[in-house]
Amino acid sequence: MLKEARKAKKMTQQHLADLIGVTRTQVRNWEIKKNRPSNPKTIAWIAEVLEIDVKDLILFFYSED
């Protein structure tokens, strides 16, 4: 979901990382659900940048699939 939303905005992992102040590796790890942002404000910021519903993003990060 995160990767698809980023690609829909025609952003690279690096571009998204630069916009929210994290590393490209962090974005990659979030996309493959290796880990998730530790700060709720970061999740809200990602949702805002990608123009997606923050609830959907939270479900993505915290669902077990």
Side-chain angles (χ1 to χ4, degrees):
M1 182 250 178
L2 180 58
K3 182 177 182 177
E4 292 80 8
R6 176 181 57 78
K7 286 188 171 231
K9 288 291 192 183
K10 299 186 181 347
M11 282 187 197
T12 64
Q13 289 176 337
Q14 186 64 57
H15 186 206
L16 178 58
D18 291 344
L19 286 173
I20 60 175
V22 299
T23 66
R24 186 199 59 78
T25 302
Q26 285 176 290
V27 172
R28 179 183 53 83
N29 287 342
W30 297 339
E31 288 183 352
I32 62 173
K33 295 179 81 169
K34 184 174 180 180
N35 56 37
R36 59 185 169 243
S38 58
N39 185 338
K41 289 182 182 181
T42 302
I43 295 174
W45 201 355
I46 295 166
E48 183 178 328
V49 167
L50 296 178
E51 297 179 344
I52 56 178
D53 190 291
V54 71
K55 292 176 189 174
D56 292 337
L57 191 55
I58 290 168
L59 286 173
F60 167 77
F61 283 126
Y62 288 90
S63 67
E64 300 287 329
D65 44 51

